[in-house]
Amino acid sequence: MKNELKRALLKKSNIILVLAVFSLMMINAYYDGWKTALTADSAQDLLNMEDVIFYKKYFGNRYRVWKGSYYMAQALAPLILVAPYLNTCLSEKANRFRFFCVSRKGNLKYICQKALAIALSGTIILAFSEMLLAVVTGLFTQQDTSIEFMEGIVSFREDFFIEHPMPYFVFIYISHVLYYFCFLIFATGITSFLKNKIAVIVVPFLIAGVLDTILPTSLQPNVVMQPYYRSFSIGGYGALVSFYVVVGLISLMVSERFYLKRGN
């Protein structure tokens, strides 16, 4: 298991991926409103210092910036998550490397460790990118938690957010991490039937889009991944991540039976 994770995480391409996600989130935050705070000092239409200070504290509020950074990362998460490692299963089947692994540790242990390594590696990369953004932007954003600067940032349990903004966003972060892990179990299972590398990357993204279209609002991935809107439901979140895990594991088991029968 340790070797699987090392192979997954200690790759130069992962550094590029983390920087790409971090940059994407920074751009989102900048154009979502942070730009207004950062350029308030030089704005021609702000004629007094009180307005400048208000704009910097309102649009540069730490929690407003964090929320505004996530839109594109959420939309592209199915692609970002599967990029680091999911294709290794396919490669190991194609080049017969899997036979050597199975002969040493057994098929059940191999597939369990492989699925867990895939889920953990993708989750760690995206979770680390989010944490990096939180730390960096936390150094340059406003920390005034007066009600006038905090209203309107979230709509789900806004009363709790106003009283406890940091624990609220810690909850959001944990919910993201758990979602990433469960989605990758799902992606590993549904793509285990595929033999085309491009399909392995694209299919989870397409299925997430379909689920956004056909599921009730509270169950849609787009809603579940953004637990600061009124449409978010803890029950819907729990149902979707449970669906991911169950479907992923069942798909993986069925795929393994077919593979062991065919041998390819």
Side-chain angles (χ1 to χ4, degrees):
M1 183 63 197
K2 186 185 295 186
N3 291 334
E4 292 282 0
L5 274 176
K6 282 183 179 179
R7 290 175 56 203
L9 293 172
L10 300 181
K11 298 193 298 185
K12 294 180 180 178
S13 59
N14 287 343
I15 298 175
I16 297 173
L17 185 59
V18 168
L19 292 176
V21 175
F22 172 79
S23 300
L24 179 66
M25 296 181 76
M26 286 288 284
I27 291 170
N28 251 185
Y30 181 78
Y31 285 106
D32 188 71
W34 194 18
K35 176 183 178 181
T36 303
L38 294 174
T39 58
D41 286 323
S42 59
Q44 299 291 326
D45 55 340
L46 298 180
L47 303 179
N48 57 72
M49 185 54 64
E50 289 78 10
D51 289 339
V52 171
I53 293 173
F54 178 84
Y55 272 64
K56 290 174 73 172
K57 288 188 175 183
Y58 183 86
F59 291 102
N61 180 281
R62 172 191 291 174
Y63 304 104
R64 198 178 302 278
V65 169
W66 286 353
K67 177 197 169 188
S69 70
Y70 194 61
Y71 177 73
M72 285 304 295
Q74 165 266 317
L76 296 176
L79 285 176
I80 297 169
L81 285 167
V82 302
Y85 201 39
L86 194 54
N87 258 319
T88 58
C89 277
L90 186 61
S91 298
E92 289 181 7
K93 285 181 181 179
N95 61 24
R96 305 293 178 174
F97 177 75
R98 172 173 169 154
F99 287 123
F100 295 103
C101 295
V102 169
S103 64
R104 292 202 321 266
K105 60 179 75 172
N107 189 69
L108 180 61
K109 187 176 181 180
Y110 165 82
I111 198 63
C112 288
Q113 289 186 353
K114 180 64 69 175
L116 189 57
I118 291 170
L120 285 174
S121 60
T123 299
I124 289 170
I125 288 170
L126 198 45
F128 179 77
S129 302
E130 280 195 51
M131 181 61 71
L132 181 63
L133 177 113
V135 172
V136 172
T137 56
L139 299 174
F140 301 102
T141 48
Q142 302 292 323
Q143 302 177 29
D144 194 325
T145 56
S146 301
I147 188 69
E148 60 184 323
F149 305 121
M150 301 287 282
E151 283 185 318
I153 295 178
V154 305
S155 54
F156 175 76
R157 293 295 308 275
E158 186 178 21
D159 55 338
F160 181 80
F161 168 70
I162 296 297
E163 292 293 325
H164 310 283
M166 184 59 74
Y168 188 99
F169 267 79
V170 170
F171 161 76
I172 289 176
Y173 179 75
I174 292 172
S175 74
H176 286 172
V177 173
L178 179 59
Y179 178 92
Y180 300 151
F181 181 83
C182 295
F183 180 82
L184 274 167
I185 295 293
F186 173 72
T188 302
I190 62 174
T191 60
S192 60
F193 298 93
L194 305 175
K195 296 185 179 181
N196 182 281
K197 290 186 176 182
I198 296 176
V200 167
I201 299 296
V202 173
V203 165
F205 177 78
L206 295 178
I207 291 180
V210 172
L211 293 178
D212 267 327
T213 303
I214 65 174
L215 290 178
T217 301
S218 62
L219 294 174
Q220 293 171 4
N222 173 58
V223 172
V224 165
M225 293 179 72
Q226 301 182 82
Y228 29 69
Y229 290 123
R230 188 171 287 107
S231 51
F232 175 79
S233 160
I234 292 178
Y237 176 91
L240 183 61
V241 297
S242 298
F243 168 81
Y244 281 156
V245 172
V246 171
V247 172
L249 292 177
I250 291 175
S251 299
L252 194 57
M253 290 169 56
V254 173
S255 169
E256 279 302 297
R257 287 193 176 186
F258 286 156
Y259 175 77
L260 293 175
K261 285 182 179 179
R262 298 191 311 262
N264 58 53

